[in-house]
Amino acid sequence: MPNLPYHFARSEGQIVRRLYRAMLPTIVHRKVRVHNDVPFDVFAYSGQATLPEQVASVRSFLAHVGRPNRFTIFSDGSHTSRAIQLLEQIDPVVHVSESLPSLSSPLPEQVRGYLTAHPTGKQLLVIMSLPVHGPALYTDSDVLFFPGATDLIDLAKTRDVPAFYLADYQFSGDERLLSGSAEKEEPANTGFLLLLQKLDWSLGIERLLKLKGAPNFFTNQTVVHLCMHVNGALPLDPQKYILQVDDQFIYRDYYTDTSLAMRHYVSPVRHEFSGHVLRRFTSGPW
């Protein structure tokens, strides 16, 4: 028997997303009530295909965390001039960069080519460039923030930890980069990182140089996972910083408690992103 609530949720998500995209010119002019100044920079990497999600993500950050020093969105090169204009109309701190960060040190051509030409390699380049001036939050476009996210302000003041990462619910990576199965433990997700110090990326570069064959979708995440651990980064509280798909086949997501900080709506639960935006849009600023 078909799971009707699940299929209805997916259909609803598609409809809401189309409507939200169509309404973006109006949405970006709806003022977000900002309660805090956030003493760090925020960075994202996205493209035209995820424009609705990126708008909702930025607005949820402003509403529930506050206004950062700067919210820089690195474009993958696909944004139209109109899309850039819409993003920058959300708030004066939002800036879209059409060029990627420059490489801070010489790298082997094999690695340089991956970081500057491969779609996920470009994301890795952005992450490797952080932080720039003080603490930096990196967030994917399919992340929504909730009231509990204000604790990011205190976490950014941490001095004895170089970074915090979003714990993944399973290892999703390029196993060709691993030296053994033990390196799969405590998987880190690339989609949400609080970077407090410059990290040593040499292990990741070393593994990339040994990679046989072309990089795949998860190559960058594996590099981040390995380097988070070798640098002594810590996971964010998985009860507040959510990456789960255990509610994939129900109508409404499980994770609606107001104490939550954020949720990364990865592909299996992406339809729930739109459903949550719908419910918030009728009563809030998203």
Side-chain angles (χ1 to χ4, degrees), residues 6 10 142 169 217-218 243-245 248 264-273:
Y6 166 67
R10 287 183 61 87
D142 53 355
Y169 68 97
F217 180 79
F218 287 113
L243 199 172
Q244 288 290 341
V245 297
Q248 176 182 356
H264 187 188
Y265 289 84
V266 290
S267 295
V269 292
R270 188 70 48 77
H271 58 284
E272 293 180 355
F273 182 107

Side-chain angles (χ1 to χ4, degrees), residues 270-286:
R270 188 70 48 77
H271 58 284
E272 293 180 355
F273 182 107
S274 298
H276 198 93
V277 169
L278 172 65
R279 294 189 292 278
R280 279 295 298 156
F281 189 73
T282 58
S283 60
W286 299 0

Side-chain angles (χ1 to χ4, degrees), residues 117-162:
H118 193 279
T120 64
K122 293 178 182 179
Q123 180 196 33
L124 179 58
L125 173 58
V126 170
I127 293 169
M128 289 175 66
S129 73
L130 304 176
V132 181
H133 304 294
L137 178 70
Y138 174 83
T139 176
D140 273 359
S141 58
D142 53 355
V143 167
L144 286 178
F145 294 87
F146 301 96
T150 53
D151 70 358
L152 286 167
I153 297 172
D154 290 331
L155 284 173
K157 299 173 184 176
T158 306
R159 294 292 176 264
D160 56 349
V161 175

Side-chain angles (χ1 to χ4, degrees), residues 29-54:
H29 285 104
R30 291 182 66 181
K31 186 175 179 60
V32 180
R33 185 177 299 174
V34 179
H35 300 285
N36 301 300
D37 288 326
V38 177
F40 55 81
D41 294 333
V42 183
F43 298 86
Y45 170 75
S46 65
Q48 184 74 22
T50 57
L51 179 61
E53 289 79 8
Q54 186 67 81

Side-chain angles (χ1 to χ4, degrees), residues 18-140:
R18 286 196 292 268
L19 289 173
Y20 193 86
R21 178 185 283 275
M23 293 177 62
L24 285 179
T26 301
I27 290 168
V28 298
H29 285 104
R30 291 182 66 181
K31 186 175 179 60
V32 180
R33 185 177 299 174
V34 179
H35 300 285
N36 301 300
D37 288 326
V38 177
F40 55 81
D41 294 333
V42 183
F43 298 86
Y45 170 75
S46 65
Q48 184 74 22
T50 57
L51 179 61
E53 289 79 8
Q54 186 67 81
V55 170
S57 181
V58 174
R59 290 173 65 84
S60 70
F61 183 90
L62 292 170
H64 293 307
V65 189
R67 181 173 286 113
N69 298 327
R70 198 165 180 82
F71 198 124
T72 301
I73 300 166
F74 286 99
S75 174
D76 66 0
S78 64
H79 282 107
T80 65
S81 57
R82 179 57 175 154
I84 292 172
Q85 183 182 48
L86 288 170
L87 287 166
E88 294 187 339
Q89 285 175 341
I90 297 172
D91 191 88
V93 299
V94 180
H95 168 68
V96 178
S97 175
E98 296 185 78
S99 59
L100 294 173
S102 57
L103 294 165
S104 58
S105 58
L107 291 172
E109 186 56 38
Q110 177 182 338
V111 176
R112 177 182 291 271
Y114 169 59
L115 295 177
T116 57
H118 193 279
T120 64
K122 293 178 182 179
Q123 180 196 33
L124 179 58
L125 173 58
V126 170
I127 293 169
M128 289 175 66
S129 73
L130 304 176
V132 181
H133 304 294
L137 178 70
Y138 174 83
T139 176
D140 273 359

